[in-house]
Every structure is written in structure tokens, then in C-alpha cells.
């Protein structure tokens, strides 16, 4: 029921149409009832094939009729010779083809074609492939036909090379063909996989079992990658506003996935707590904790009950196991499932300790982009900059330049990146919040990178136009965070990952939701001046933070509520300093 | 050589307010013209048609205008020996209509009026070795059916009846270079399919496997200058995608990435002021399918005149609360 334009008609026309429809309905119902009756009587004959054909020709989505035809054909297989069946099935293919001409997007017709092809005594896959060629020449985006093509290719063992050439041809005649670019993304990793362990070695041609191009290991080797860059450059210089090639470009640029590992182990004598951070959200059922050579019985929980998968997990050690400051302890966390572990030593006289993966910035955030040779990315950036000179308003080009700059040198290019984001929001205002969020993410990454270099536990993100918070799992060890003067509207649940946080400053935002200030064991001071907190209930997560002593709520609507002092005293009894 | 952007122009006199009463009248009258040719022709999807009509009526707080007893009788008559439910009497059972029927019965708080164990058995029997689901015994595989299977079971509180891990592996194997999902491994991303797969991952508690930033970008790029959303690059906008794209964005916590005011304007312009109902695009013929997805889209955009819709099940949130089903969404 798509794309039927409503036409105004006169009463007379309407009446004629009504009569015509009535006639058609009568014929339709007579045939339908005849079919149902035959089926109820288990009549699996050629007359039924005739009748169902009559209805399917104009209504190929009537799935039950295809089912009936299959029952009949399967029955005929038991009573007829192969030769006769071959003819019957070929006739069936011709009939389906006529249905596809009327409705090339019917799921039922395409599925039935696949079924018939699989039953044919002597299948003719060449004919099927040429049917796909014809169909795609009429509509190169018909995904039913593309899917059928993949079925034919698989059944008749058409080579990946041949299919890649097919996409060359299609893209050559029309760059703006998302389906072909998509197909390439599935073919290339099969044909030119990047050796997983040795990214520097030459292209190896061997096929791998199919898996999603998003999953680990589905990368393309360098040599082929250079050819792809060239093809994409051709496309974007020809039509810089065509999104297909740009989407493909972003995929080419970003392929590596971060390894699954334990990125940090933190232990605190106070509360005898252990926190473990992972490189990805996980659900750790079999995490083993060994203290001074003894496996411990502990209960792991994610930072928030709503997270079944989380990058940070917590547990408490049995009472008095590490509380004595005069004792030294050695802790090992084993992630048995992944055969990996991380050690952490807690020395005499120290209240806390941690052991962190010394990640480089590439490992941390460039995972979105490849670890490709800098020279290649450099020359890509040059080409895109040239294109931008010709097309200064082109959003695709701007975004790609930002991504390239981040891959090359995120800190060195920070200023230019910010300017480009500003332009992006102006030329594509419909997606301005996407650009704001992406820019926020990059600013947070840059700040984490700087912090990594300096090894500090104070994290300042003030006045950075942040519209969202992310990568909070990286901030497990942070004790002081400054988020003042941004555009934040909430402190999300992920905020609970700031397990060591003592002081939070988030003045001058638009925060109305504090759900992430939940069970932060060390949180003492919270400053939320000039935000949008309007109800006492919005502050209730703070009641789970046992050490909270100072809270500044000046400039929030909630300060106008009746009885605000009394209610807050009841909700947060540990407070010694409340500013309203 | 490239193609021009395909889009529509919204005429200045297009409707720009929500015509709730007209829509309710349109849906209430729809089922009463049973001897209409067009109506009869759509018999092969009747069960889904009823689900669309009832859900939109419930979202508009008009469910009481529909004939509950007649509908429940119809569903009972459409359940087969194998447990599966067909689009209509005389048709063959299929996961698509089994889900629709279970959704309808959940709206009416009366799943007990069919043989629930049999339904579970039917769904169970359609899971394949690789974790995928066939739509019926004829073996068509599609991630839509993976969604139908887990959504049906979740509504019945019986998700444990199938191999969820394997089912998840299959859906993840359909993830593409753009972060989206297709019908089968290797198939191109499509907003309808993305809705099914993100909905599936929500129900199975696996949303962390989605590359939300990448997929969210692809999804927000579906918005065209008219404000409408298309389902794939270089396609025309369509009201049903204001549901599929928007619900997927809501599920992965990125709904703020589209221009809500412009989309609202587009959806409202697809209303038919004379007959009530929504069409796919301004000026086209209306139908119950687009009427549901128009209203449900508006609900996700925060329309206060209709009930809040659940982005995974496309049913009123209050109905899911009633059965104790909590929907997982990314933040």
C-alpha cells in the first residue's frame, strides 16, 4: 500500500468503479473458495496449480497459495518422472518471473523462486544469475533481488572475484548505488583479508567463513585498501553530495576493534572494595579473584542494577582481609573465559592501589579508525581538503576530514576540528545534535589522552560545549571532576563508573537528572549551581552516596520548593553543608 | 552521474494539527466494510491489520470502539493444530501473524484464550541450527522472524523456550559495515530490519553489541529536507519509517539526533483531512498500517494527546507495564 496517489473522482466515475470492483470481488471469491475447498479435500492436482496461478498473478503476497503450490509440486514429484518435473518446475519459474514483473518486491515470489531452484532436477544457475542481472538493471536497489543473487552465487559457486567485478561495473555506471557499495563491503574482507596477527604483511588471497563485516578480523589488507580509497575518491569527486561512497569511506577508514581485556584493577582498603574495568561492556560470570594466592569467594556486581553488561564490575572482599594497613597484599583478577588476568599489589602504608593497562591513544580511541600508515591517511586528508576547497559547504567532506584528523593526530588537530564541527552544524542544522554529541565525545577523548600523559586523577572538562558524557569507564580512578559550563542535561547511569570520585563540580549546565550519582562510595562534595533540578525526588540518587557532606544547589528551581530544607535534611542526613 | 535527492515537498495547506477524532472514525469504520474488494484482497495479512488498527485505537484511548469478542473469536479460529496462528481462517500459520495475535491478546489482557503452550512450541520448532528462525515450515529465514519469535515469547513470559545465545549470534552475523542490519547475513541494511534487530537485541538484553554511534549516524541521515525519513539511502520518505527509524533510534538512545519538529510536520502532512488516516506520503491513499505508524511516531516524538508507545513492541507502554515487561534501552 505504498505510493498510491489519491485521485479525485466524480460520483459517476465512483459508481462505475464500485461496480467494477464488485465484479472483480465476485470472481476473486469464487476462485479463492474453490482453492480452499480443493485444499481441504487434499486435492493436489494441476487444476489447483491453475487456480492458484490465477490469484497469485495479481496478488503474489497471498503466502498460503504459494504453500499450496509447493505441496502440489512435492506430491507430483512422487508420481512423475524427473523429466516431467523438470518441465513443471521450469514452467513454475516462468510463472514466478511474470509475477516478479508485476511486483518485483514480493517476499513470497522470491522465496518461492529459491525453493523451486532448489528442487529442480537440473538447475540452471546461469539463467538465474542473468535474471538477477536483468532485474538489477531495472532497479539496482531491489534488495530482494540482491538477496536472491547471493543465494544463486552461493549455490553455483560463482567466485568472489567475479562478484567484485560485478560491483565494479555497477559502481562504474552509477556511483550512487548504496547496494553495490554494501556488497563490496561483504566481498572485500573475503578476498583480501588483513592477516590478523601481522598487519604489515602482503595481501593473502584466501577465503574465510562468512561473518559480518562489523566483527573482528574482517579487515581489508593494505594493498587493496589503497585501491578502494582511489575508487572512493573517484566517486566523491564526481558527485560530492552522494552519500553512498561517503558511508563506505567511513567504513574503510575505521576497521580495527579493541581487544577484550581487563584494562584496570583498583583495590581500596576502605570498605575492602575491588573494582575491575574492561575494554568493553561485559557480563562477567566467571571472574576469579585471587588474594595472596588464595581464591576468594566474592560476589561481582555491575555498577548499576540496570546494566547487565558493563565495562566496570565491583565486589567486596571478605571482612578484614586487607583492612590492616601494615600488611602488603597481592591481588590477581582472572577472566577465565578470555584466558587473561591482571595483577595488582597493595603495599604497606597505602590505602589504595591500582594497576592499569598502559594504553596508547591509538589503542584507546583510534579504534574507530585504522592504524594505517600515516602517509596514506595524510594523503587522504590532502585530497579531502582539496575537495573542501571546491565544495566548502559539503558536510560529508567536512565530517571525513574530522575523522582523518583524529586518526592522524587528535590533539594537534583539535582547533581545526572544532572549527569544522561549527561549520557542520551550520550547513546541516537538522543533525546538529549529532554533531554536538560527536564533538563532545572527541573533546572527552582528547582530555583523557592528556590525562593519560600526565597520570593525574583530576579531570577537567569545563567549558567545552559538551552535550553528552561518554567514556566514563575510562575515569574509574578519577577523584575530582569538573564539568562546569557545558550543556549537559543529565548525569547518566554510566556516571556510577566513577568509583573513586570525591568531588563533583557541574555548575552552569542544564542538568535535570542525577540518576548516575548512585552508590559512589567516596563522593563528598557536589556542586550543581545553576542547573534545572526541579524536584526533591530528582535528588534521591544522592541518598545512596554515604559520604556526601557538601551540596550546593543554588540557582536550581528546586530551591523554591516549600519545605526544601526539611525535606533535604531528611533525604540526605549526612550533609553538613547545604547551599540553597 | 549521481542521483538527485529523492524527497517530497510539503504544501503550505497540508494539515498541521493532529486530527485524532477523524483517525479514530477511520479505523472504527475500516473493519465494517468487509465485502470491499480491497479489504478482501488484504485477507492474507488480516491478523496484522487488526493489530495495527487496535494498537492505534488504544494509543488514542479508543480501544472500546472495537469489537473485542468478535476479534478474540477470530484469533481462536485462526490458531492451528501446530500452535501457530494464521492471518485469517483458511490461511496457513506464520510467525508474523502469531506475533500479531499475541500482541492483540496482550492488549485485551486475554492471552489465556488461546493455547499458549502450543504457541510456544510452534515458535520453538521454527528455530534453526544456526539460531535463526524460519517464518513458517517452508523455511524462509529473515531477521524479522527472529524478532517475531522473541517478541512473541517475551509477551508470553517464555523467552527461555528457545536458544537465545544462538539466536543472538545469528542476528549479530547480519550486522553490516554501516552498523545496520539486513534480512540475512550479507543482506543490505534497511530501517525496518534495523528496527527488528535492535528490538530483538533489546528483548534479549544484548544492546551493548550494537555500535550505537555508527548506527545512529546512519539512522539520522535518513532524515530528508522535507523532515520525513526514508528507510535506506537515496529512497523517498515514508511515514512508516518515522516509526522504524525513530523506534530504532529510541532503542539505541540516540533519538535526539533527528530534527523532531521537522519530522512532526512531515507526519502531520500525511494525514487525510477528509477521510482520516495517514498515508505513506502527503497526498497518497491512507491505510491502517501508516495510520498506526504515524500515530506511534508522533508518540515517540512526545505527542501528549496519545498514549506513550513502547519502542520495542509498538504497543502502549502501560500495557507492557501491566504484564510486568520492562524494555531495555541504551542511554
Amino acid at each position: 500500500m505504498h505510493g498510491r496517489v489519491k485521485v479525485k473522482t466524480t460520483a459517476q466515475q465512483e459508481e462505475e468503479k464500485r461496480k467494477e470492483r464488485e465484479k472483480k470481488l465476485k470472481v476473486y471469491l469464487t476462485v479463492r473458495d474453490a482453492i480452499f475447498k480443493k485444499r481441504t479435500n487434499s486435492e493436489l492436482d494441476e487444476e489447483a496449480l491453475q487456480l492458484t496461478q490465477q490469484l497469485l498473478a495479481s496478488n503474489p503476497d497471498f503466502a498460503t497459495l504459494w504453500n499450496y503450490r509447493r505441496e502440489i509440486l512435492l506430491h507430483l514429484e512422487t508420481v512423475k518422472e524427473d523429466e516431467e518435473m523438470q518441465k513443471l518446475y521450469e514452467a513454475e519459474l516462468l510463472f514466478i518471473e511474470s509475477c516478479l514483473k508485476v511486483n518485483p518486491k514480493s517476499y513470497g515470489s522470491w522465496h518461492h523462486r529459491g525453493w523451486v531452484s532448489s528442487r529442480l532436477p537440473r538447475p540452471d544457475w546461469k539463467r538465474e544469475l542473468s535474471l538477477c542481472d536483468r532485474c538489477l538493471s531495472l532497479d539496482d536497489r531491489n534488495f530482494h533481488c540482491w538477496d536472491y543473487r547471493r543465494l544463486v552465487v552461493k549455490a553455483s559457486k560463482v567466485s568472489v572475484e567475479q562478484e567484485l567485478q560485478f560491483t565494479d561495473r555497477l559502481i562504474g555506471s552509477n556511483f550512487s548505488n548504496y547496494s553495490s557499495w554494501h556488497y563490496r563491503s561483504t566481498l572485500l574482507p573475503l578476498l583480501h583479508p588483513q592477516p590478523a596477527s601481522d598487519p604489515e604483511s602482503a595481501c593473502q588471497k584466501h577465503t574465510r567463513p562468512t561473518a559480518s563485516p562489523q566483527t573482528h578480523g574482517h579487515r581489508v589488507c593494505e594493498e587493496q585498501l589503497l585501491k578502494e580509497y582511489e575508487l572512493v575518491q573517484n566517486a566523491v569527486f564526481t558527485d560530492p553530495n552522494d552519500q553512498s561512497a561517503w558511508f563506505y569511506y567511513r567504513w574503510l577508514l575505521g576497521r580495527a576493534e579493541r581487544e577484550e581485556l581487563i584494562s584496570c584493577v583498583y583495590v581500596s582498603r576502605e570498605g575492602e572494595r575491588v573494582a575491575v574495568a574492561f575494554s568493553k561492556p561485559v557480563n562477567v560470570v566467571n571472574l576469579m579473584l585471587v588474594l595472596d594466592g588464595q581464591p576468594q569467594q566474592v560476589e561481582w556486581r555491575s555498577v548499576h542494577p540496570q546494566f547487565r553488561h558493563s565495562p566496570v564490575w565491583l565486589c567486596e572482599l571478605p571482612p578484614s582481609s586487607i583492612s590492616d594497613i601494615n600488611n602488603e597484599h597481592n591481588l590477581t583478577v582472572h577472566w577465565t573465559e578470555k584466558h587473561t588476568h591482571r595483577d595488582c599489589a597493595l603495599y604497606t602504608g597505602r590505602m589504595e592501589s591500582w594497576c592499569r593497562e598502559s594504553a596508547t591513544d591509538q589503542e584507546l580511541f583510534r579504534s574507530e579508525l585504522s592504524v594505517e600508515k600515516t602517509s596514506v591517511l595524510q594523503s587522504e586528508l590532502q585530497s579531502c581538503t582539496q575537495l573542501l576547497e571546491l565544495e566548502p559547504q559539503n558536510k560529508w567532506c567536512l565530517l571525513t576530514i574530522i575523522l582523518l584528523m583524529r586518526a592522524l593526530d587528535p590533539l594537534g588537530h583539535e582547533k581545526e576540528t572544532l572549527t569544522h564541527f561549527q561549520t557542520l552544524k551550520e550547513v546541516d542544522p537538522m543533525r546538529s545534535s549529532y554533531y554536538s554529541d560527536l564533538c563532545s565525545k572527541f573533546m572527552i577523548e582528547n582530555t583523557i589522552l592528556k590525562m593519560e600523559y600526565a597520570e593525574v586523577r583530576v579531570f577537567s572538562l569545563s567549558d567545552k560545549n559538551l552535550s553528552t558524557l561518554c567514556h566514563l569507564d575510562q575515569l574509574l580512578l578519577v577523584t575530582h571532576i569538573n564539568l562546569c559550563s557545558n550543556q549537559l542535561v543529565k548525569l547518566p547511569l554510566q556516571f556510577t563508573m566513577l568509583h573513586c570520585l570525591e568531588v563533583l563540580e557541574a555548575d552552569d549546565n542544564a542538568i535535570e537528572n542525577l540518576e548516575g550519582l548512585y552508590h559512589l562510595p567516596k563522593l563528598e562534595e557536589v556542586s550543581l549551581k545553576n542547573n534545572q533540578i526541579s524536584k526533591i525526588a530528582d535528588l534521591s540518587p544522592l541518598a545512596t552516596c554515604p559520604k556526601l557532606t557538601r551540596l550546593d544547589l543554588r540557582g536550581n528551581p528546586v530551591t523554591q520548593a516549600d519545605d526544601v530544607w526539611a525535606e533535604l535534611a531528611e533525604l540526605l542526613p549526612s550533609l553538613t553543608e547545604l547551599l540553597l | 552521474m549521481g542521483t538527485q535527492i529523492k524527497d517530497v515537498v510539503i504544501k503550505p495547506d497540508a494539515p498541521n494539527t493532529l486530527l485524532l477524532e477523524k483517525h479514530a472514525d477511520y479505523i472504527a469504520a475500516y473493519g465494517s466494510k468487509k465485502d470491499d474488494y480491497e479489504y478482501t484482497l488484504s485477507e492474507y495479512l488480516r491478523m496484522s491489520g487488526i493489530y495495527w488498527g487496535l494498537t492505534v485505537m488504544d494509543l488514542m484511548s479508543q480501544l472500546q470502539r472495537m469489537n473485542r469478542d468478535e476479534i478474540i473469536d477470530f484469533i481462536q479460529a485462526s490458531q492451528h493444530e501446530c500452535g501457530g496462528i494464521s492471518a485469517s481462517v483458511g490461511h496457513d500459520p506464520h510467525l508474523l501473524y502469531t506475533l500479531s495475535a499475541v500482541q492483540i491478546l496482550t492488549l485485551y489482557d486475554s492471552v489465556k484464550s488461546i493455547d499458549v503452550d502450543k504457541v510456544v512450541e510452534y515458535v520453538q520448532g521454527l528455530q534453526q541450527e544456526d539460531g535463526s528462525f524460519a517464518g513458517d515450515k517452508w523455511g524462509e529465514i529473515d531477521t524479522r522472524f527472529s524478532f517475531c519469535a522473541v517478541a512473541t515469547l517475551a509477551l508470553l513470559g517464555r523467552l527461555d523456550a528457545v536458544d537465545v545465545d544462538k539466536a543472538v549470534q545469528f542476528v549479530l552475523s547480519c550486522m553490516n559495515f554501516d552498523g545496520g542490519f539486513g534480512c540475512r547475513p550479507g543482506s543490505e541494511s534497511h530501517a525496518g530490519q534495523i528496527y527488528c534487530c535492535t528490538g530483538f537485541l533489546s528483548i534479549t538484553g544484548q544492546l551493548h553489541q550494537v555500535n550505537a554511534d555508527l548506527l545512529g549516524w546512519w539512522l539520522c541521515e535518513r532524515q530528508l529536507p522535507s523532515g520525513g525519513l526514508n528507510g535506506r539511502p537515496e529512497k523517498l520518505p515514508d511515514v512508516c519509517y518515522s516509526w522504524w527509524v525513530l523506534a530504532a533510534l529510541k532503542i539505541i538512545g540516540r533519538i535526539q539526533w533527528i530534527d523532531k519538529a521537522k519530522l512532526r510536520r512531515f507526519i502531520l502532512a500525511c494525514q487525510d483531512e477528509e477521510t482520516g488516516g495517514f498515508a505513506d506520503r502527503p497526498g497518497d491513499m491512507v491505510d491502517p498500517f501508516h495510520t498506526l505508524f504515524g500515530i506511534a511516531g508522533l508518540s515517540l516524538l512526545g505527542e501528549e494527546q496519545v498514549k506513550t508507545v513502547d519502542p520495542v513492541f509498538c504497543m502502549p507502554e502501560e500495557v507492557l507495564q501491566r504484564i510486568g515487561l520492562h524494555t531495555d534501552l541504551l542511554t
Side-chain angles (χ1 to χ4, degrees), chain A residues 2-4 6 8 25 32 39 141 147 176 178-179 182 212 214 242 244 395 431 433 437 441, chain B residues 3 35 43 92 175-176 178 186-188 213 218 220-221 232-234 238 256-257 272 274 280 285:
Chain A
H2 284 93
R4 290 191 316 167
K6 189 176 169 179
K8 294 251 180 228
L25 177 67
R32 184 198 68 181
R39 196 171 184 221
R141 298 297 306 285
D147 282 344
S176 176
Y178 196 84
S179 306
H182 158 78
S212 135
Q214 267 288 306
D242 171 48
S244 302
K395 64 171 194 169
R431 273 159 284 270
S433 26
D437 285 0
K441 180 175 164 181
Chain B
T3 345
D35 39 8
E43 187 181 75
D92 290 349
M175 197 192 282
N176 288 319
D178 44 28
S187 304
E188 183 182 341
D213 285 346
W218 190 90
C220 76
E221 282 293 347
R232 290 191 287 159
E234 294 131 12
D238 184 324
Q256 70 278 14
W257 286 358
D272 189 320
E274 294 163 18
D280 56 350
M285 302 278 281

Side-chain angles (χ1 to χ4, degrees), chain A residues 318-379:
Chain A
S320 323
S321 39
I322 57 168
S323 51
D324 187 345
I325 199 155
N326 299 312
N327 290 338
E328 182 178 323
H329 296 283
N330 286 298
L331 199 87
T332 308
V333 177
H334 293 271
W335 191 8
T336 29
E337 201 185 326
K338 304 283 168 188
H339 308 289
T340 180
H341 70 275
R342 187 165 287 278
D343 303 314
C344 179
L346 179 58
Y347 298 114
T348 314
R350 294 279 304 270
M351 281 305 288
E352 57 179 5
S353 180
W354 60 86
C355 175
R356 193 164 50 159
E357 170 209 19
S358 48
T360 64
D361 53 343
Q362 284 186 346
E363 285 167 274
L364 268 179
F365 301 124
R366 291 196 200 177
S367 60
E368 280 284 306
L369 282 160
S370 71
V371 205
E372 223 51 71
K373 278 181 185 159
T374 313
S375 62
V376 177
L377 292 180
Q378 202 76 41
S379 89

